Amino acid sequence: MWSSIKNCFNFSLFVILTLGTQSTVSDPHTGWKEETNWKSGNDQQSRRGPHLLPDIPSNISVTAGRLATLPCRVANLKGRSVSWIRQEDLKVLSTDSVIFTSDTRIKIRAWRTGVVWAWDLEIEEATLEDSGVYECQVNTRPKVSHPVHLDVQLGGAVIAGPPEVYVETGSRLLLTCWVIAPPKPPGPITWLHDLVPIKTDDLRGGVSLHIAQEGAKASARLSLTSVSPTDAGNYTCQPEGLDTAQVSVFVLKDEQPRAMHHDTATSLTTTKLIELAIGILLIHTLR
C-alpha cells in the first residue's frame, strides 16, 4: 500500500513539474506573444534569478497621437524592482508602479503569468518629441536591462495637388488621397462632400472609389464623371482615427470665357506653387 501511495505521489509531482515547465505570455494590446519553454537549453533556467525573456521587441513605431506601448518581460522577479528610464536625459520615469514624472500621459501596466511579469511603459497620445530610447531595468547585480527604441511618426491624409481644383462642366473630377499610419495599415477611409459621406450607389451615378493598401500606406481615389455645378464644394478625405485632408472644388460653367478659365487657373496655381511642390514630394515619399 505504501508503495502505491509513493508511486501516486511521484506521478502527481511529475505532472505538476511538467505543466510548470512552459510559460506563455501574450499581450492583447500589442498582439505580441512570447512562449518560453523552460526545459529547452539550460535546465536550470527556471531556478535562476530575475532575467529577461528572449525576443522582446526592441523597436516600436507608432503614429503621433496614438498609444505607444513599450514592452518589458521579466521572469523570476523575486521581489526585485523594475524601473523605466529615458536615456536622453537619464530621467527615471517609474519604479514599480510609482510614477516619477508629472507627464500624466505616462502609465505603467503590469500583469503576471506564472513566473513571468509583464512590465510595460505606456505613453498616451505620443508626440514626435517622445521618440527616443527607453530602458527597462531590474535592480539586480549586475543590472538586467532592456532598451526599447520608440519611433513616433506623423500620420494622416494628404490630397495630391493644390487645395483648390477648377474643373469644367461635363468633365471628369479625379481626387487622390494618400494616407500613412505607421506601424499598422490605416483603417477605413471615407470621402465626404460638404461633410456628407460619398457612396458609390448614390443617385447621382458616375461615382467610383478605389482604395489600395500597402503596408502602413494607403491611397483612396475618388472619381466623378460628367461633373455639374452641384458637385462643387468641399471634399474631405477622412481616415479613421487620423488627421483629415480637404480640397475645394469649383465647377466652371460653359458660358464663361475659356481665357478666363485659363487665367484664373494660372493665377491660383502660381500662388500655390509651394503647397503643390510639398504635395508632390510627399506623394513620392509615400510611394
Side-chain angles (χ1 to χ4, degrees), residues 100-118:
F100 293 109
T101 175
S102 59
D103 191 340
T104 57
R105 300 175 304 130
I106 294 180
K107 294 178 173 56
I108 294 297
R109 184 167 60 89
W111 43 279
R112 180 179 179 181
T113 301
V115 298
V116 178
W117 273 97

Side-chain angles (χ1 to χ4, degrees), residues 2-222:
W2 169 249
S3 177
S4 299
I5 295 175
K6 183 177 180 181
N7 291 337
C8 181
F9 173 80
N10 289 338
F11 175 76
S12 300
L13 181 60
F14 169 78
V15 171
I16 293 173
L17 290 176
T18 300
L19 292 176
T21 58
Q22 182 156 339
S23 176
T24 301
V25 181
S26 60
D27 188 343
H29 290 261
T30 63
W32 176 73
K33 186 176 182 180
E34 172 66 39
E35 294 186 1
T36 302
N37 188 341
W38 299 112
K39 289 204 104 178
S40 63
N42 186 354
D43 60 359
Q44 298 297 321
Q45 216 171 23
S46 61
R47 303 175 188 175
R48 289 168 50 190
H51 56 282
L52 297 166
L53 266 64
D55 302 326
I56 307 175
S58 298
N59 295 284
I60 300 295
S61 296
V62 67
T63 305
R66 292 186 174 182
L67 174 69
T69 301
L70 283 61
C72 183
R73 302 290 185 271
V74 185
N76 298 340
L77 193 54
K78 296 184 176 178
R80 297 286 186 173
S81 295
V82 180
S83 301
W84 275 99
I85 298 173
R86 187 168 54 209
Q87 284 192 0
E88 180 182 7
D89 52 8
L90 298 180
K91 180 178 179 60
V92 179
L93 301 176
S94 68
T95 296
D96 292 337
S97 59
V98 181
I99 307 295
F100 293 109
T101 175
S102 59
D103 191 340
T104 57
R105 300 175 304 130
I106 294 180
K107 294 178 173 56
I108 294 297
R109 184 167 60 89
W111 43 279
R112 180 179 179 181
T113 301
V115 298
V116 178
W117 273 97
W119 216 275
D120 295 346
L121 175 69
E122 294 185 337
I123 305 177
E124 297 178 341
E125 298 181 357
T127 66
L128 299 182
E129 290 73 22
D130 293 320
S131 296
V133 179
Y134 298 76
E135 190 171 283
C136 169
Q137 294 185 357
V138 184
N139 67 335
T140 56
R141 294 185 180 179
K143 176 184 69 177
V144 174
S145 64
H146 172 64
V148 180
H149 182 269
L150 173 63
D151 182 23
V152 183
Q153 303 178 23
L154 285 175
V158 60
I159 298 175
E164 295 96 4
V165 175
Y166 283 72
V167 294
E168 293 183 354
T169 300
S171 62
R172 179 190 180 198
L173 173 65
L174 179 62
L175 300 175
T176 302
C177 175
W178 294 91
V179 179
I180 182 170
K184 298 179 180 180
I189 303 172
T190 304
W191 275 100
L192 300 93
H193 178 214
D194 291 335
L195 301 181
V196 177
I198 299 174
K199 299 180 180 180
T200 55
D201 58 354
D202 190 273
L203 294 177
R204 176 200 183 282
V207 179
S208 63
L209 293 170
H210 177 72
I211 296 178
Q213 192 165 291
E214 180 182 353
K217 300 179 293 184
S219 65
R221 295 183 179 180
L222 170 65

